[in-house]
Amino acid sequence: MGAIADDRSTPELDARVGLEKLATYPFLIATWVDDAGYPVSAAVEATVDSAGLTATFAPPAGLTVPTDRPVSLTGSHIRPQPGYGYDERRHVTVWGRATAADAVTTGDPGSTPSNGRVTLSGQTAWGWDETEVPFFEYSERSLPQSRRYFDALSAERGTPVKPKLSFGFLTLRTTRLPFLTATIIPVVLGILIAASHGAFDLVSAALTVIGASFVQLGLNVANDVFDTVQGADDANVTPTKFSGGSRVIQYGLVSLRQMAGLATVFYVLAGIIGLILLATRGSTALLVIGVVGFIVSLGYTAPPLKFVYRGLGEIAVALGFGPMMLLGAYVVQTRGALSWEPFVASIPVALLVALILYVNEIPDRRGDARAGKRTLPVRFSPRAVIGGYNVAAAAAYIALVVGVVAGILPVPTLLMLLTIPMARRVSRGLAPNYDNPYGLMAIMGENVQLHLIAGLLLLAGYAIVIVAGAIAPGVDLFLG
């Protein structure tokens, strides 16, 4: 509620705006604390005079409105939306002192009202309207106040008091486990391409998937740590389920120190598995891919590289979750052999995973700009950003078709073209939701599904190649 929430406004202005808002509600709730210290609330109908900073109402039946302590009037509204939740949420509360209605005109606070009504003289107000500030953004803007409350409560009780979440949900939120598909898709694809070339080892394949997953989990957690340290997550007041980090540090669910320790554990576990693979299936190529992949992963948000802060996040993500993952998995299976096929196959995967980051940065752009995080949506206009999405998505499909026509990729991989309508829906949904982070969530979700389904169709294509090779060894599924 703009003027009410404006720290620069005077209390009188706050009260006046609050009373103007209050006048729009047919029924109000009068609240005060009784002599025994218990809160009392009752519905009333009031006549509001915002210019005079007053609201007059009849005391609720059987209750006496005190004149020696603060009294408030509250108006609120919410509309249920079956299958969706709620919308049209708004709320306003005005605090002040109540007097007998006649006392306002006679100047005698102790006079007896002839009509039994009381008048609240507004002093302060607070409110919020979803048409002005979305509910989730309002919640995020209230975080500092929430943290002060828990700090004060902890000091009062002499023991730490903080929010809690069940272990399962906390684990999912902290690690962003569902996003592991960004790793599993390219790694399994690299393994299948190697298998189609006659190279497959189950133990090393499993270790590769686990090790690569630890790398991504370390990256996910480390991003929260470095974005918090550098102020990006705290500056973001419009996070969504797909953007803005896990928020577990901001919500007090996990400490910064605990997150840093968890990231270290994930990276150490990934390193141990990497050393095992080097010792058992190793090659110079695997060593180089592993070192470069580690640098790209940690340097994504960590100083001094901070790729995402320099507008290079998409390139880092494309390299890390495209060629690095896919070629690394392929090299493990082939004991160091390289081929153009896994590299070309990694291009559409790399572009589509980079587009996940690209779209997810759109709702974060204002907070990112305040924190000096110069992502592409921060740097460029909406039209340029949407055009960039279209170019990159088209390039993913063009790379696939060129790879097939050139005889590098097998024909069944063209199954990925079935996802073109999804890419078009994402593209069409960007412009109308560009400035609405919560309206954009459905588009971000479809963009994540685009990468997943495209990857699954590529996997299906190579599964067809492997099965066809086993059933009919002479069948050639490549052009040229």
Side-chain angles (χ1 to χ4, degrees):
M1 183 170 295
I4 294 179
D6 190 345
D7 292 336
R8 296 169 298 178
S9 60
T10 64
E12 290 77 20
L13 178 60
D14 283 350
R16 181 175 294 109
V17 174
L19 286 163
E20 289 174 354
K21 298 282 188 179
L22 210 57
T24 65
Y25 295 91
F27 300 99
L28 305 176
I29 300 295
T31 304
W32 62 89
V33 177
D34 67 13
D35 293 336
Y38 291 98
V40 178
S41 297
V44 299
E45 294 184 62
T47 301
V48 177
D49 177 9
S50 59
L53 296 179
T54 62
T56 303
F57 59 96
L63 297 174
T64 300
V65 180
T67 59
D68 60 348
R69 68 201 68 165
V71 176
S72 69
L73 288 175
T74 297
S76 63
H77 171 83
I78 189 170
R79 183 176 72 170
Q81 291 280 55
Y84 166 77
Y86 303 91
D87 68 355
E88 293 187 358
R89 288 164 283 208
R90 57 183 183 270
H91 172 103
V92 62
T93 297
V94 177
W95 287 270
R97 293 283 181 155
T99 58
D102 287 356
V104 176
T105 58
T106 64
D108 179 10
S111 65
T112 302
S114 59
N115 55 9
R117 295 172 69 82
V118 295
T119 295
L120 176 78
S121 297
Q123 296 173 345
T124 59
W126 173 90
W128 166 73
D129 192 328
E130 191 166 26
T131 62
E132 298 170 6
V133 180
F135 174 74
F136 299 106
E137 180 177 344
Y138 169 76
S139 300
E140 292 296 328
R141 290 184 180 276
S142 301
L143 278 180
Q145 180 181 354
S146 302
R147 285 197 287 261
R148 289 193 297 270
Y149 169 78
F150 279 108
D151 289 343
L153 193 59
S154 298
E156 179 182 328
R157 295 191 174 187
T159 183
V161 179
K162 65 177 185 178
K164 291 184 178 181
L165 194 64
S166 69
F167 179 78
F169 281 112
L170 183 60
T171 300
L172 287 174
R173 181 154 200 152
T174 301
T175 61
R176 286 177 274 179
L177 206 61
F179 289 96
L180 275 182
T181 55
T183 287
I184 294 173
I185 290 294
V187 169
V188 174
L189 184 58
I191 292 170
L192 286 185
I193 294 175
S196 72
H197 295 175
F200 177 74
D201 177 75
L202 180 59
V203 174
S204 64
L207 285 175
T208 303
V209 172
I210 296 170
S213 297
F214 280 141
V215 171
Q216 185 185 342
L217 294 176
L219 170 65
N220 290 347
V221 177
N223 284 350
D224 281 350
V225 171
F226 290 112
D227 276 342
T228 297
V229 169
Q230 296 169 94
D233 281 350
D234 287 331
N236 190 340
V237 293
T238 56
T240 70
K241 63 185 292 186
F242 300 105
S243 61
S246 70
R247 312 297 290 177
V248 294
I249 299 175
Q250 283 67 39
Y251 298 162
L253 296 168
V254 183
S255 70
L256 182 66
R257 182 185 296 272
Q258 289 171 326
M259 289 290 279
L262 185 60
T264 301
V265 168
F266 282 137
Y267 276 125
V268 168
L269 291 173
I272 291 172
I273 292 177
L275 291 174
I276 292 173
L277 291 174
L278 274 173
T280 58
R281 314 282 296 180
S283 67
T284 303
L286 180 58
L287 177 61
V288 171
I289 290 171
V291 171
V292 173
F294 178 78
I295 293 173
V296 170
S297 173
L298 196 58
Y300 178 72
T301 51
L305 296 177
K306 298 197 302 183
F307 292 125
V308 71
Y309 282 77
R310 306 177 193 279
L312 301 174
E314 284 77 7
I315 294 176
V317 165
L319 286 175
F321 290 92
M324 294 295 102
M325 289 285 188
L326 206 150
L327 280 173
Y330 180 86
V331 164
V332 167
Q333 295 300 307
T334 61
R335 294 182 179 270
L338 290 170
S339 169
W340 278 109
E341 186 177 349
F343 176 77
V344 174
S346 74
I347 295 175
V349 175
L351 289 170
L352 292 181
V353 76
L355 287 178
I356 294 178
L357 170 68
Y358 187 68
V359 172
N360 289 359
E361 288 172 339
I362 293 175
D364 294 344
R365 66 190 188 281
R366 292 186 178 89
D368 287 345
R370 287 193 292 270
K373 194 173 182 180
R374 302 288 293 168
T375 63
L376 297 182
V378 169
R379 293 170 180 266
F380 299 113
S381 68
R383 182 177 180 181
V385 171
I386 295 171
Y389 180 90
N390 294 335
V391 169
Y397 296 106
I398 291 171
L400 173 70
V401 173
V402 169
V404 172
V405 172
I408 299 173
L409 301 179
V411 173
T413 58
L414 291 176
L415 284 170
M416 194 190 99
L417 297 178
L418 294 174
T419 61
I420 289 177
M422 294 182 67
R424 293 182 63 188
R425 285 195 297 272
V426 173
S427 176
R428 289 196 299 267
L430 292 178
N433 296 287
Y434 203 87
D435 292 316
N436 180 3
Y438 311 109
L440 194 62
M441 276 202 294
I443 305 303
M444 291 189 286
E446 179 138 27
N447 197 41
V448 172
Q449 290 295 311
L450 170 62
H451 171 266
L452 173 62
I453 295 175
L456 290 175
L457 290 173
L458 286 175
L459 294 178
Y462 271 99
I464 292 171
V465 171
I466 293 171
V467 171
I471 296 175
V475 174
D476 186 4
L477 296 178
F478 291 80
L479 297 177

